[in-house]
Amino acid sequence: MTTVELTRFRVLPEKTDELLAARPEMLKDFEADRAGFLGARLVRLPDNEWLDIVEWATPEDFAASREKGPNQPGIARFFAAIDSLVVAEEGVLAE
């Protein structure tokens, strides 16, 4: 079953352009460096909050990705634009 990572975070308004500019490289880095990465969607919410919805083939793939952290330049650049974490959750896609 597909594992879904749900991460809600805040971005300062002056960093929004940086976040969006970093996104394509972050996704390329995930595709190249993260086993089991299936795709991601970024949702803009009110009040400078964002929701990143990332799909992983297995819970183990997601756990291995978390252990790597921002180990690639595109990932590090994307993470650097984030001001604060609101909540991070993990679930299973109900198909």
Side-chain angles (χ1 to χ4, degrees), residues 2-82:
T2 301
T3 296
V4 180
E5 170 189 4
L6 302 164
T7 306
R8 190 169 177 158
F9 55 88
R10 288 189 182 89
V11 176
L12 298 174
E14 60 269 20
K15 295 267 190 158
T16 297
D17 288 344
E18 289 177 43
L19 180 88
L20 294 174
R23 184 69 174 185
E25 284 300 314
M26 185 208 80
L27 293 174
K28 285 181 188 175
D29 284 351
F30 265 51
E31 289 169 357
D33 185 61
R34 310 291 166 113
F37 172 72
L38 301 176
R41 291 182 173 214
L42 185 62
V43 180
R44 189 175 196 161
L45 302 168
D47 301 322
N48 303 314
E49 288 191 7
W50 298 77
L51 175 64
D52 206 356
I53 304 166
V54 183
E55 293 185 14
W56 299 96
T58 68
E60 294 79 18
D61 292 332
F62 174 46
S65 175
R66 281 200 327 216
E67 286 184 27
K68 287 186 173 188
N71 67 327
Q72 300 294 318
I75 298 168
R77 186 172 165 220
F78 183 83
F79 285 7
I82 296 171

